[in-house]
Amino acid sequence: MKVFCEVLEQLYKKVLLGVTLENDSHDYIFYLNPGVSDQDCSTATSLEWANTYGIQDRHQPISVGVAPIAVAPACLKTNSLMSSSGEVMLLQLTVIKVMTTRILSVKTEFHAKEKYRDIIKILLESAKVDSKLICMFQNSDKLLCHMAAQCLALLLYFQLREKITLSNSWIAFCQKNLSEYSESNKAIYCLWTLTAIIKEIFKDSCSQKTEILKQFLTHFDTIFEVFYNSLFSQHFENCQDTSKIVNILICFLELLELLIASRIYLKLHFTCQRILFLKPSCMLEVITWPIQAFVKRKVIIFLKKCLLFKVGEDLCRGSVPPLMPPDHHVAMDMLALASAVLQAVNSGLLKTLSVYGKHSFFGGNEVQPGCEHIASPDHVILRAASLVIMKSLEIKFQNCSSASEMKVDLQRFMSELLTFLKPHLQPSLQLHNPCKWLSRVFIEQDDDMLEAAKASLGIYLTLTRGCEATESLTQGKEMWDHHTHENGYNPHCIFLFFLKNIGFDSTVLLDFLISSETCFLEYFVRYLKLLQKDWDNFFTICNNFDATESKYDISICDCVPSLVQDQSTNRTTPHHLTAPHSHIDVCAQHSWASDAPSEPLKAMMSKGTDTMCTSSLSSPRASQSLVDYDSSDDSEVESTDQCLANSKQTSLHQQATMEIQDAAGTSRDKEEFSLEPPSRPLFLKEFDTAFSFDCEVAPNDVVSEVGIFYTIVKCFQELQDAICRLQKKNLFPYNPTALLKLLKYIEVISNKTMNTL
């Protein structure tokens, strides 16, 4: 046994390094065949392999002689020997796994790969290693079962890659264990192996992954549908061992997610890939089961990923293929899922969803003796449930032509959602501004917050187009505005609360624009287009924000990072920026802005980007930066030869990061220290006293005096300047011309607005 293990260890080291094996392929089968018994191991003699075992370095192996294995008497078969046989089997599976991985890798040397391929084919054809791995699923050693499943998944994928007929024993095993629900471990290992195979298909860089997956799913298309119906028809409370159904359900969710991802990314159309959309109510019923909270969380997050087209991102270890535009069939399936979600909500799904329970932390979910357990809602479930409802509404409205029906549905479902969220938000939502719910629920998750904001904006735009097609712009306008605020989906309020959350910091907006981890670019462009048409409404809401905060003694600068001490306690709100009524009433009195831009604005948009990127901000003084710049070559007053030298060694991403900080910092500093008249109003006409910003003075007083409108305009201008600076240095990751046009358009409108005050 000892010599046998030594041979396997040496073989493992050679395969791990990708070294070409010199002996005949059949010589290795004896050591890799997991069906070898202990007695066979004890009576066999080792081969004298010259220049085979022993690794001196990666290129020149030394020759190690292996002594014959002595015959072991039967009395030595003790428990320790049996334990050793299990370790030998684990080592055998490890060598097979590494060897198969080497075959699938493009980095393996050709001759070594051919030798490994020949050995694996012999194991599959002559030794029937796949059948032996399936038998290992019944072993009591969980580690051995798991290693057997990993090894089997790679071997099956090897068969698919090499266009070898898929193992009949494996197909029969799946059909037997997935034909009906069973609480045995065989079904779990079957699902896990199937999932691992699809992961390997996604991970592979070959161009035939669509054909490979098609060949694979052909054998299991029908059986998946049978298992889906069988699993979700179970009565959870009647199950003898609830842990088994939980494990099977979690495994099946992973498999189902990959099947849906393969349909979206690889454009295949099997029934098993559509089973969720054909029968979505089965999945939604799991949320009503008396099952652990983490399972319900898994289901809700799974539904969220489906509706956002983000399935497979967490399960695929390799790079996920680029998302293709959804076809008509996928769109119809998403509509079916969205409709089922809304129907379940209408039937009281949210009332059955408990968001309290044991939370999992790094130290576990059990409260230590003597420690007080503070009950708090699971914000992951709150965010996922909210986003699922918002996205479902957006998808349904995209396929609805009746504006009145959309209004009724929106009011009903948003009322359900806000009622569900209200007890879990502390402090509770203020009645004067229901639109604040989104920023409160999603404040800890940027990507979900922006997805929810984009969905809310999509709902608003769809309803607006429906109202414009069926009603006059003046008729029912006040009721329409009241409707948007009452149901918490007014796009301007949502955007203002988002800006408050980030402290009106243009560098954060710039970071979102550059990052590919959120949908902020798409959301921001759509909102800026709306802002052009709906400017009067935006300005009225800004005025009302100031009035509301003055009435309730709330400072909009509470969310602004305070860099310095406040130098004044006298805060007054200008009368021309103060709305006389409540949040809803004031916003309901504005007039709808025209869709068509004015002629001066058209002329401004027709100009090139050079005009947009021209900065009028200059300063005779040295800028006092918010951060220290060690290698930025664009800090115009701080750059030195050393900085320029360092910048040449900096990567593009690092340069962009420093330029983001520098662009915002220097543009802000130049404007604050400038002795020249600014190119746009820094305060409104009613003020007799000019305001100047200094790095030693917090902006709280200025913001409270000029209002949130000016703060946002200033943030947009800083963002525009920063983008221009990055574009000039070719550090922006994409062409920002269209975005700059929109920002320039907003700048012109805002200047005209402030000039008329």
Side-chain angles (χ1 to χ4, degrees):
M1 176 69 73
K2 180 179 179 181
V3 179
F4 190 89
C5 292
E6 290 177 356
V7 173
L8 272 178
E9 289 175 0
Q10 295 295 336
L11 180 59
Y12 169 72
K13 292 178 181 178
K14 291 180 71 69
V15 175
L16 190 63
L17 294 175
V19 177
T20 304
L21 302 179
E22 299 176 357
N23 286 73
D24 184 75
S25 299
H26 288 83
D27 296 341
Y28 300 92
I29 302 302
F30 172 77
Y31 292 95
L32 293 178
N33 189 351
V36 176
S37 65
D38 294 328
Q39 186 172 359
D40 291 333
C41 291
S42 63
T43 58
T45 57
S46 167
L47 297 175
E48 294 292 336
W49 289 351
N51 296 324
T52 300
Y53 296 107
I55 304 298
Q56 183 177 11
D57 54 46
R58 292 178 178 269
H59 305 289
Q60 298 179 350
I62 62 174
S63 179
V64 176
V66 181
I69 301 177
V71 177
C75 60
L76 293 181
K77 290 186 177 181
T78 60
N79 291 334
S80 61
L81 187 60
M82 297 301 292
S83 175
S84 299
S85 67
E87 294 178 1
V88 169
M89 198 171 294
L90 285 173
L91 185 54
Q92 288 176 320
L93 298 183
T94 302
V95 176
I96 295 174
K97 177 184 174 183
V98 175
M99 189 175 290
T100 310
T101 304
R102 276 291 181 184
I103 297 172
L104 300 174
S105 174
V106 296
K107 298 181 180 180
T108 307
E109 193 266 332
F110 175 76
H111 295 289
K113 183 181 293 188
E114 288 298 312
K115 192 70 172 182
Y116 300 158
R117 181 182 285 111
D118 191 37
I119 294 173
I120 294 299
K121 285 184 178 180
I122 295 175
L123 282 172
L124 288 170
E125 295 171 3
S126 302
K128 302 295 181 183
V129 69
D130 50 344
S131 300
K132 296 173 183 178
L133 292 174
I134 293 173
C135 293
M136 290 183 190
F137 292 161
Q138 305 178 31
N139 197 292
S140 58
D141 189 341
K142 299 300 181 183
L143 179 59
L144 185 61
C145 294
H146 183 69
M147 181 60 77
Q150 283 186 323
C151 195
L152 180 61
L154 281 174
L155 290 175
L156 292 171
Y157 182 61
F158 169 79
Q159 290 179 323
L160 293 170
R161 276 285 302 268
E162 298 294 322
K163 297 186 179 358
I164 301 175
T165 303
L166 205 60
S167 169
N168 290 327
S169 58
W170 167 248
I171 296 175
F173 175 77
C174 289
Q175 291 176 344
K176 177 181 178 181
N177 290 281
L178 298 181
S179 59
E180 60 181 1
Y181 171 74
S182 172
E183 294 185 2
S184 67
N185 290 329
K186 294 180 182 179
I188 296 178
Y189 285 114
C190 182
L191 294 171
W192 191 96
T193 307
L194 291 167
T195 303
I197 295 172
I198 300 180
K199 285 183 181 180
E200 289 296 327
I201 296 176
F202 269 101
K203 187 175 66 173
D204 201 345
S205 58
C206 71
S207 58
Q208 292 128 2
K209 56 178 60 180
T210 301
E211 290 75 13
I212 294 175
L213 183 62
K214 183 177 180 180
Q215 176 189 354
F216 175 68
L217 292 182
T218 301
H219 300 283
F220 305 102
D221 190 29
T222 305
I223 197 65
F224 283 156
E225 182 179 2
V226 173
F227 185 77
Y228 183 92
N229 296 331
S230 175
L231 175 62
F232 292 109
S233 63
Q234 299 300 310
H235 296 285
F236 181 79
E237 59 275 6
N238 297 333
C239 295
Q240 297 179 353
D241 188 355
T242 57
S243 63
K244 291 289 181 64
I245 190 173
V246 168
N247 291 335
I248 291 176
L249 182 59
I250 296 300
C251 289
F252 189 64
L253 280 178
E254 292 186 0
L255 176 60
L256 201 58
E257 182 175 347
L258 285 174
L259 289 173
I260 298 172
S262 65
R263 183 190 179 197
I264 296 175
Y265 290 112
L266 302 181
K267 295 297 181 182
L268 290 176
H269 300 282
F270 284 89
T271 303
C272 62
Q273 297 172 300
R274 301 186 57 216
I275 187 64
L276 170 68
F277 308 103
L278 296 176
K279 301 178 180 180
S281 59
C282 296
M283 182 69 69
L284 290 167
E285 287 177 1
V286 177
I287 302 176
T288 65
W289 287 2
I291 201 169
Q292 290 92 325
F294 81 92
V295 179
K296 297 184 179 183
R297 176 195 289 190
K298 281 269 189 182
V299 172
I300 296 175
I301 292 177
F302 170 66
L303 295 174
K304 180 191 75 172
K305 289 181 179 179
C306 291
L307 293 169
L308 296 178
F309 288 90
K310 291 186 176 181
V311 285
E313 290 186 342
D314 299 333
L315 297 178
C316 300
R317 292 175 295 171
S319 57
V320 179
L323 179 64
M324 301 179 183
D327 56 22
H328 175 71
H329 299 288
V330 174
M332 290 297 100
D333 283 348
M334 289 297 176
L335 176 60
L337 178 59
S339 299
V341 168
L342 296 177
Q343 183 178 355
V345 173
N346 192 42
S347 301
L349 179 67
L350 294 179
K351 295 182 177 66
T352 65
L353 183 60
S354 175
V355 297
Y356 288 95
K358 293 182 179 180
H359 301 322
S360 297
F361 303 100
F362 288 111
N365 59 3
E366 296 294 335
V367 179
Q368 296 298 321
C371 298
E372 182 181 0
H373 174 68
I374 302 176
S376 60
D378 187 343
H379 290 278
V380 175
I381 294 182
L382 292 179
R383 288 193 296 266
S386 302
L387 189 50
V388 164
I389 294 176
M390 294 296 295
K391 197 63 185 178
S392 298
L393 284 171
E394 182 188 20
I395 293 174
K396 182 179 180 181
F397 290 176
Q398 289 171 351
N399 297 271
C400 183
S401 57
S402 173
S404 59
E405 180 183 346
M406 286 188 285
K407 280 186 178 181
V408 173
D409 286 344
L410 182 64
Q411 186 169 6
R412 178 169 67 250
F413 291 114
M414 287 305 298
S415 176
E416 285 271 354
L417 178 59
L418 294 177
T419 302
F420 167 70
L421 294 173
K422 186 177 178 181
H424 309 302
L425 297 180
Q426 298 297 331
S428 61
L429 288 174
Q430 297 295 329
L431 295 178
H432 68 276
N433 207 328
C435 297
K436 197 174 183 178
W437 75 270
L438 193 146
S439 62
R440 291 279 303 280
V441 171
F442 294 96
I443 191 169
E444 296 180 358
Q445 196 74 28
D446 292 339
D447 53 347
D448 282 354
M449 176 174 62
L450 293 171
E451 288 286 357
K454 184 165 73 76
S456 177
L457 179 59
I459 292 172
Y460 178 87
L461 294 175
T462 303
L463 275 172
T464 301
R465 288 191 294 268
C467 290
E468 289 176 345
T470 57
E471 304 172 1
S472 65
L473 293 179
T474 56
Q475 181 182 4
K477 194 58 188 173
E478 294 184 3
M479 294 182 60
W480 161 251
D481 291 328
H482 179 83
H483 188 271
T484 63
H485 293 282
E486 183 182 34
N487 294 287
Y489 71 101
N490 184 276
H492 302 299
C493 291
I494 290 174
F495 185 73
L496 293 184
F497 282 122
F498 166 70
L499 289 181
K500 289 177 65 177
N501 283 345
I502 64 172
F504 302 95
D505 191 345
S506 61
T507 60
V508 178
L509 296 180
L510 188 59
D511 185 47
F512 277 130
L513 287 173
I514 291 177
S515 173
S516 60
E517 297 179 357
T518 69
C519 63
F520 179 71
L521 174 61
E522 182 183 358
Y523 165 67
F524 192 48
V525 169
R526 293 182 70 183
Y527 177 73
L528 290 179
K529 290 181 178 180
L530 169 67
L531 193 57
Q532 293 177 358
K533 300 186 298 182
D534 205 18
W535 182 258
D536 290 346
N537 191 11
F538 168 75
F539 183 70
T540 304
I541 290 176
C542 286
N543 291 348
N544 185 72
F545 261 66
D546 295 330
T548 301
E549 287 164 355
S550 175
K551 176 180 178 181
Y552 290 93
D553 194 22
I554 303 172
S555 173
I556 63 172
C557 294
D558 289 343
C559 297
V560 181
S562 179
L563 302 176
V564 289
Q565 299 282 334
D566 189 1
Q567 295 187 354
S568 175
T569 57
N570 296 325
R571 298 183 178 181
T572 57
T573 304
H575 63 87
H576 56 279
L577 288 179
T578 304
H581 302 295
S582 68
H583 171 73
I584 297 176
D585 296 337
V586 172
C587 296
Q589 296 177 359
H590 81 284
S591 59
W592 187 251
S594 173
D595 290 347
S598 61
E599 292 302 323
L601 296 180
K602 289 182 179 179
M604 182 61 67
M605 288 188 64
S606 65
K607 296 182 180 180
T609 58
D610 292 338
T611 303
M612 282 177 245
C613 292
T614 302
S615 175
S616 61
L617 303 175
S618 61
S619 173
R621 297 174 51 184
S623 302
Q624 181 178 353
S625 302
L626 297 179
V627 295
D628 293 329
Y629 303 105
D630 294 326
S631 58
S632 173
D633 59 350
D634 197 38
S635 185
E636 298 174 357
V637 295
E638 296 177 345
S639 61
T640 63
D641 293 340
Q642 181 62 36
C643 293
L644 292 173
N646 292 340
S647 66
K648 295 179 181 179
Q649 303 175 359
T650 307
S651 66
L652 179 63
H653 177 73
Q654 291 172 328
Q655 289 184 21
T657 302
M658 290 184 291
E659 289 288 343
I660 291 172
Q661 298 170 339
D662 197 17
T666 54
S667 67
R668 186 184 297 113
D669 293 338
K670 290 179 180 181
E671 181 177 331
E672 292 169 357
F673 283 101
S674 178
L675 300 179
E676 301 176 4
S679 59
R680 58 186 184 280
L682 293 179
F683 49 87
L684 302 180
K685 290 186 175 182
E686 280 78 354
F687 290 108
D688 296 330
T689 304
F691 294 94
S692 62
F693 300 98
D694 193 277
C695 287
E696 301 299 328
V697 181
N700 293 15
D701 293 336
V702 179
V703 173
S704 62
E705 291 183 353
V706 301
I708 195 173
F709 173 76
Y710 168 74
T711 307
I712 296 172
V713 170
K714 184 174 183 291
C715 179
F716 281 170
Q717 182 59 46
E718 290 175 352
L719 177 63
Q720 180 181 337
D721 294 342
I723 295 174
C724 288
R725 291 165 66 89
L726 290 176
Q727 186 187 29
K728 287 179 180 179
K729 303 296 296 182
N730 293 324
L731 294 176
F732 210 74
Y734 52 86
N735 185 2
T737 302
L739 178 60
L740 287 170
K741 284 184 178 181
L742 291 172
L743 289 172
K744 185 63 179 180
Y745 203 157
I746 300 303
E747 180 187 11
V748 173
I749 300 175
S750 62
N751 286 339
K752 291 175 63 177
T753 300
M754 288 190 287
N755 289 333
T756 57
L757 293 177

